[in-house]
Amino acid sequence: MSLPILYVKSGCPWCSDALQYFEAKSVKLDIVDVRTNPNRMDELVQVSGQSMTPTLKNEDFIVADFDISEFEEALQKNPEEAKKLGL
C-alpha cells in the first residue's frame, strides 16, 4: 500500500499547518511540493479537480484545499479513513 499523498506549495501557511499537524500525529506521507515539482500540478488537478493546497489524497479519499478544522471535519464524516490514516 502506498503512502497518502499531501500536495503542498512552499510558502503556503495552511500547508505549513498541515505538515506540522501530520508530523505531530506521526502520519507518514508522500509530500509533493507542486512548486518545486511543477509537473505534479497536473496530477493534483486530475485527482482533486482543483489546484489549491494543501490537498490530501489517500486512495479514493481526497480532502482538497483544507485547513486543519476542515480536515478533522472530513475525518469525522469518514471514520474508516481516519482509521486508515491512524488518526
Side-chain angles (χ1 to χ4, degrees):
M1 186 165 114
S2 59
L3 291 175
I5 300 171
L6 180 65
Y7 297 94
V8 298
K9 292 177 184 166
S10 52
C12 163
W14 296 277
C15 297
S16 295
D17 290 347
L19 290 167
Q20 290 174 12
Y21 173 84
F22 290 116
E23 184 176 328
K25 302 281 188 180
S26 300
V27 176
K28 294 186 187 232
L29 301 167
D30 177 10
I31 299 166
V32 175
D33 187 327
V34 296
R35 286 197 173 136
T36 59
N37 297 297
N39 57 322
R40 301 287 299 267
M41 177 61 84
D42 290 339
E43 177 184 322
L44 168 61
V45 172
Q46 183 178 22
V47 300
S48 69
Q50 53 85 57
S51 63
M52 304 298 284
T53 57
T55 294
L56 180 118
K57 178 184 183 304
N58 188 33
E59 298 172 2
D60 293 331
F61 179 68
I62 297 168
V63 184
D65 185 25
F66 64 87
D67 66 24
I68 300 305
S69 62
E70 291 168 330
F71 183 75
E72 289 182 334
E73 184 178 317
L75 290 181
Q76 288 175 355
K77 293 177 182 176
N78 299 280
E80 286 190 28
E81 292 299 331
K83 188 175 181 181
K84 286 182 194 176
L85 289 167
L87 297 171

